Amino acid sequence: MSSFSGNPLPATVLGYPRIGRNRAMKKAIEAYWRGELSAANLQRTVVDERRAVFETLQSAGLTDVPCNDFSLYDQVLDTLVMVGAVPPRHRDLGLNALDTYFAMARGTAEVPPLEMTKWFDTNYHYLVPELAPDTEFTLDLSKPLQEYRQARSLGLEARPVLLGPLTFLHLAKVAPGVAADFDPLTLLERLLPVYEQALAQFAAEGVHWVQLDEPVLVSEQAQAELVLRRLGSLPERPKLLIATYFGSVREALPILRQAPVEAVALDLTGPAESNLRDLAGAGGLPGKRLVAGVIDGRNVWAADLRAQLARLASLHGLADEIVIAPSCSLLHVPLDVSLETGLDPDVRCWFAFARQKLDEVAVLARGISAGPQAIEAELQRNQEILAHRAASPITRDPAVRERVAAVTPADEHRAVSYPQRARQQAERLNLPSLPTTTIGSFPQTQALRAARGRFRRGELGPDGYAERMRTEVEHVIRLQETLGLDVLVHGEPERNDMVQYFAEQLTGFVATQHGWVQSYGTRYVRPPVVIGDVSRPQPMTVEWTSFAQSLTDKPVKGMLTGPVTMLCWSFVRDDQPLEETAQQVALALRDEVADLEAAGTAVIQVDEPALREGLPLRASDRPGYLRWATAAFRLATSGVRDNTQIHTHMCYAEFGEILSAVIDLDTDVISLEGARSHMSIAADLSAAGYPSGVGPGVYDIHSPRVPGRDEVTRMLRQALEHVPAERLWVNPDCGLKTRDEAEVKSSLANLVAAAESLR
Ligand SMILES: Nc1nc2c(c(=O)[nH]1)N[C@@H](CNc1ccc(C(=O)N[C@@H](CCC(=O)N[C@@H](CCC(=O)N[C@@H](CCC(=O)O)C(=O)O)C(=O)O)C(=O)O)cc1)CN2
Ligand SMILES: [Zn+2]
């Protein structure tokens, strides 16, 4: 589609990716951290990349463009700064505003950072505000105003995006040292005046519209009426768009209808399509603008434009005005599919990344304003692409389907129960009590990544690359032996990422070259795409694991990524239930597990860090999800002999709601993250009747801080109050890939010393 020139169309986006062209933001911010770029030059990059996005949005022909959706790290952190809620420990460092910001994000030698956790059910992580009964709020509107003024200088009347007060308070946690029963929502009366001042300042600046993001309305309505009434009834304010996303608003719909605001954004994709029925049933949004989220903002499939036009037509009369948009910020999809020159063009055209989604909203807007005949050519081409995909043999593999159909309940269960297996495993492995291990990855150094870069560019041949990786594996094995760890790992040096690495080897997935999506701060991932039935043409990890095992007498753990995590961190098919794809991935992994076992691997870890993240936001959808998710994991792992030990690992989780699912996985050992409350997870698991081995992470790998021996010993003593010694494992709380070798050495030495002192 060519770029637009003509009247602006009733089309917008709720937010756009901010990683910059060619990952410019990552590169600039990390250079600043290393002291290689000045604050002024960092700011220059921000302005340049911000401008590039404004220009992209403008050239796509959108009527309304957002601003303040850019960020140096995270939009929740930006909101925290906007309302002046910097925690005392970061404020007291006495740093300038920029360095205080990064101190909250990353911590310093003196103080830990804010906690990081998942943004709803996505793979994006935000920083968790810490609030206390005495938290005071003061307004700092400089960032939103700066972005607004930049847009205006480019001839754009942009719409500042603010995270709304309800969502901000819901996402916050109780500050350290404050009673756990303190409810941040009680600060609403103190926070609302700051939002009122913000709206007043925007009005004084001449801002037309402000977008308040309140995704929490999808699951929580407490105080919503009050907030919308208070902000809506301000005398001097810009028009207000209340943006909801990640699901249908149900109970919040009457509140949004009644609220004295000018516009509401609703997710109308996937299961949230029920918003459409509810809207019609409720009599629409009279007197308001509806920002209709008809384009899926979280997945990468080209939209069915004709179907969306029909859906938009059904909205006729339900609002005063319809503006077409993606269902949520485009933060969660890659920038531009036209960069993917490595993809088969016949497949590439099935996808729409952020840039292509702009064209989709624009073309739909044109179809609505000027009639479908005005976009006949686009509709035609779109139908051809969809028909081509539906008929493509790539999408269906009869052999895979037959195998899935033949799965029996027996395939999803270990032959004997845990106590019996545990005895046989203990005999085979002969481990000391409180066995020590790590979660899999060792530091992914710049040198390793550079070697992979040279390999990709053809400057290093496959043999040279494999040799380089073997050298690394050997180094990691020797290091672990020197440290005295009990169950070793090969270190995962050959993996670009724990999901992409497997996707690159499985039929049915495609990986991208440039499809970066922000995961947190300056850490990005390239989620692969499931385009067809999944199968495993050949073993994926056996050579590396066997090589590592050949170097040592200690057991080396095989290391795989589980079916649920493979799907949660990929873009999934929209033409079949997730459950079916999960079974396909599980069968591929089951074969890998069998091959590892046949090669002599006695311990196999299948990571499921995303099990919690995949939990549906709505409680009523959860049991169904947990049923198929745990079944897929067991399908992948229960084909082994009794004396093969299956581990899993989970992180980034509030485990409370999934404890019984964790038990249902029926693993022999689980290692868990729990940076804040390490040992309470041990208590919770044992209270829930968890029967098998558990390694509650004894230190936080997200921070460069090295834990002392006594600290680790203390943690283990706490854990021992809940977990009997013969079932307690000693490990960090996640993989070590983001750390450097010096930190890893000292931390693991202290970990091993602590375990030994307790034996
Ligand atoms: N998929 C996924 N989701 C996840 C996690 C995860 O591990 N994977 N963990 C949690 C999030 N944590 C994360 C932790 C670290 C990184 C991370 O380190 N990302 C790297 C990129 C990792 C990667 O894909 N690396 C590739 C490409 C590296 C690269 O940039 N290469 C250069 C070339 C290097 C050179 O020639 O010098 C280039 O392409 O320009 C590789 O190693 O092969 C980064 O942003 O820097 C991401 C997420 C939750 N979600
Ligand atoms: Zn982890």
Side-chain angles (χ1 to χ4, degrees):
M1 280 172 227
S2 58
S3 84
F4 178 82
S5 59
N7 289 327
L9 302 160
T12 193
V13 291
L14 301 181
Y16 203 73
R18 54 200 179 208
I19 64 181
R21 296 162 294 186
N22 231 327
R23 290 181 288 162
M25 292 293 289
K26 172 192 177 70
K27 291 170 188 167
I29 295 166
E30 290 183 351
Y32 175 74
W33 291 342
R34 287 192 305 267
E36 291 163 13
L37 191 76
S38 67
N41 281 333
L42 172 58
Q43 183 55 25
R44 213 157 287 150
T45 305
V46 171
V47 168
D48 282 351
E49 295 306 320
R50 179 68 270 199
R51 183 192 322 108
V53 172
F54 282 135
E55 287 170 357
T56 301
L57 298 173
Q58 191 170 32
S59 73
L62 307 192
T63 25
D64 299 295
V65 307
C67 66
N68 199 38
D69 55 332
F70 231 62
S71 184
L72 283 172
Y73 206 95
D74 166 50
Q75 71 273 12
V76 180
L77 183 60
D78 294 336
T79 311
L80 180 162
V81 170
M82 182 187 85
V83 303
V86 177
R89 70 172 180 282
H90 301 111
R91 192 179 291 272
D92 292 348
L93 293 169
L95 300 169
N96 65 35
L98 183 62
D99 293 335
T100 305
Y101 182 87
F102 288 135
M104 289 188 282
R106 311 203 309 137
T108 66
E110 299 91 31
V111 295
L114 293 171
E115 187 184 304
M116 191 170 75
T117 197
K118 292 275 178 176
W119 176 245
F120 299 90
D121 55 350
T122 73
N123 193 7
Y124 177 77
H125 308 64
Y126 69 92
L127 290 162
V128 185
E130 293 172 1
L131 300 177
D134 61 355
T135 302
E136 298 287 344
F137 300 107
T138 51
L139 179 66
D140 173 358
L141 209 54
S142 50
K143 175 179 177 290
L145 282 176
Q146 187 202 331
E147 288 198 29
Y148 174 78
R149 288 171 187 157
Q150 187 186 2
R152 203 164 49 189
S153 76
L154 298 168
L156 284 169
E157 171 55 39
R159 179 182 77 238
V161 178
L162 307 183
L163 188 63
L166 284 169
T167 303
F168 178 76
L169 291 175
H170 269 288
L171 297 182
K173 67 167 220 174
V174 178
V178 172
D181 62 355
F182 169 68
D183 178 2
L185 203 56
T186 57
L187 296 177
L188 185 61
E189 279 302 327
R190 225 179 284 160
L191 180 60
L192 271 180
V194 172
Y195 277 83
E196 291 173 347
Q197 285 165 31
L199 294 181
Q201 275 193 33
F202 280 136
E205 179 82 13
V207 172
H208 295 191
W209 280 92
V210 168
Q211 171 180 328
L212 281 183
D213 277 10
E214 290 286 16
V216 81
L217 287 178
V218 166
S219 49
E220 288 285 341
Q221 294 81 39
Q223 308 281 13
E225 210 171 332
L226 170 97
V227 167
L228 297 180
R229 187 161 20 85
R230 281 276 290 277
L231 297 180
S233 46
L234 286 176
E236 297 290 330
R237 64 163 176 82
K239 291 182 185 166
L240 280 174
L241 162 62
I242 308 300
T244 70
Y245 41 86
F246 301 151
S248 49
V249 289
R250 299 189 209 191
E251 294 85 350
L253 185 60
I255 301 171
L256 289 163
R257 280 190 87 227
Q258 301 296 326
V261 300
E262 289 69 28
V264 173
L266 296 178
D267 181 347
L268 299 175
T269 61
E273 217 183 326
S274 60
N275 264 331
L276 210 62
R277 282 191 302 280
D278 295 348
L279 196 61
L285 293 168
K288 291 189 176 43
R289 169 189 286 196
L290 168 63
V291 175
V294 292
I295 297 295
D296 190 343
R298 299 180 56 173
N299 209 333
V300 293
W301 300 104
D304 181 341
L305 295 177
R306 229 182 260 284
Q308 298 315 327
L309 264 190
R311 193 186 283 182
L312 286 165
S314 77
L315 291 172
H316 189 76
L318 291 180
D320 265 22
E321 194 187 349
I322 307 270
V323 172
I324 293 143
S327 56
C328 60
S329 166
L330 297 176
L331 181 65
H332 310 290
V333 292
L335 267 178
D336 188 349
V337 78
S338 71
L339 301 172
E340 298 303 327
T341 50
L343 282 181
D344 176 356
D346 278 349
V347 169
R348 192 171 57 211
C349 64
W350 300 352
F351 302 144
F353 291 179
R355 178 63 192 84
Q356 287 68 41
K357 286 178 194 289
L358 298 180
D359 289 334
E360 291 184 339
V361 291
V363 92
L364 287 172
R366 200 138 49 86
I368 289 293
S369 343
Q373 64 290 347
I375 58 166
E376 198 44 49
E378 284 90 344
L379 290 176
Q380 194 62 41
R381 164 102 184 105
N382 176 246
Q383 292 301 300
E384 279 162 21
I385 289 171
L386 298 179
H388 170 257
R389 177 177 163 216
S392 167
I394 297 174
T395 63
R396 297 175 71 86
D397 179 341
V400 171
R401 285 173 185 260
E402 264 165 46
R403 197 168 166 211
V404 167
V407 168
T408 66
D411 297 332
E412 291 168 357
H413 293 93
R414 298 283 300 257
V416 303
S417 66
Y418 170 73
Q420 235 176 307
R421 303 191 310 251
R423 269 194 302 278
Q424 299 189 43
Q425 292 161 18
E427 249 167 62
R428 179 175 181 191
L429 290 167
N430 198 18
L431 296 170
S433 79
L434 305 181
T436 55
T437 190
T438 61
I439 307 303
S441 56
F442 269 68
Q444 276 279 349
T445 57
Q446 197 50 49
L448 274 176
R449 294 209 157 130
R452 202 164 13 263
R454 287 202 303 283
F455 174 47
R456 228 180 9 250
R457 292 188 296 272
E459 297 156 22
L460 183 64
D463 294 341
Y465 177 69
E467 187 48 39
R468 174 73 186 80
M469 294 300 132
R470 277 195 297 270
T471 308
E472 184 65 22
V473 170
E474 176 147 22
H475 172 69
V476 165
I477 292 286
R478 296 291 165 248
L479 177 61
Q480 295 172 90
E481 286 187 323
T482 310
L483 287 164
L485 287 150
D486 300 309
V487 173
L488 311 194
V489 296
H490 81 288
E492 307 177 26
E494 78 290 7
R495 302 185 186 180
N496 43 21
D497 171 76
M498 61 186 285
V499 167
Q500 185 176 358
Y501 176 74
F502 290 100
E504 283 170 356
Q505 301 185 71
L506 289 166
T507 303
F509 279 87
V510 291
T512 69
Q513 287 172 282
H514 304 283
W516 296 103
V517 174
Q518 188 179 24
S519 182
Y520 67 87
T522 61
R523 297 288 181 170
Y524 307 163
V525 294
R526 278 174 294 179
V529 192
V530 190
I531 61 168
D533 290 344
V534 175
S535 59
R536 185 197 71 142
Q538 59 197 29
M540 303 183 283
T541 63
V542 178
E543 253 182 67
W544 296 114
T545 310
S546 301
F547 172 69
Q549 186 65 81
S550 75
L551 301 172
T552 177
D553 293 333
K554 298 225 170 146
V556 173
K557 256 196 296 198
M559 192 61 57
L560 306 173
T561 302
V564 179
T565 301
M566 284 300 296
L567 295 191
C568 282
W569 294 352
S570 299
F571 294 114
V572 291
R573 299 174 71 160
D574 58 355
D575 59 350
Q576 72 180 25
L578 217 47
E579 174 176 1
E580 278 174 39
T581 313
Q583 284 179 302
Q584 297 178 355
V585 177
L587 286 171
L589 290 169
R590 185 180 177 94
D591 294 346
E592 185 72 14
V593 168
D595 284 341
L596 282 169
E597 182 180 65
T601 311
V603 182
I604 301 173
Q605 178 175 314
V606 180
D607 292 324
E608 282 293 22
L611 183 69
R612 168 64 181 81
E613 162 192 325
L615 195 68
L617 297 178
R618 283 196 165 263
S620 56
D621 299 333
R622 291 176 186 173
Y625 161 79
L626 290 173
R627 203 171 324 105
W628 69 250
T630 52
F633 180 89
R634 290 196 312 269
L635 180 57
T637 53
S638 22
V640 292
R641 291 194 302 266
D642 304 340
N643 68 358
T644 297
Q645 189 168 69
I646 297 290
H647 290 218
T648 192
H649 162 73
M650 288 182 199
C651 47
Y652 312 102
E654 306 280 352
F655 296 101
E657 294 170 84
I658 60 163
L659 279 177
S660 68
V662 170
I663 294 172
D664 278 349
L665 299 178
D666 193 24
T667 52
D668 300 306
V669 180
I670 181 171
S671 63
L672 296 139
E673 180 231 38
R676 54 226 133 196
S677 55
H678 294 275
M679 298 308 144
S680 74
I681 179 63
D684 295 349
L685 271 174
S686 90
Y690 179 78
S692 45
V694 54
V698 293
Y699 74 90
D700 173 16
I701 61 85
H702 289 108
S703 156
R705 216 181 128 264
V706 171
R709 192 189 96 157
D710 296 345
E711 180 183 338
V712 177
T713 310
R714 234 177 6 255
M715 297 268 223
L716 290 173
R717 278 193 206 285
Q718 276 175 32
L720 282 166
E721 288 171 20
H722 308 283
V723 183
E726 57 286 6
R727 292 203 272 113
L728 185 64
W729 285 66
V730 181
N731 46 259
D733 72 355
C734 190
L736 304 169
K737 64 187 164 203
T738 57
R739 299 272 58 86
D740 70 32
E741 181 155 324
E743 290 157 4
V744 163
K745 269 188 186 155
S746 319
S747 303
L748 292 180
N750 292 343
L751 177 151
V752 170
E756 281 169 353
S757 76
L758 285 175
R759 279 180 189 154

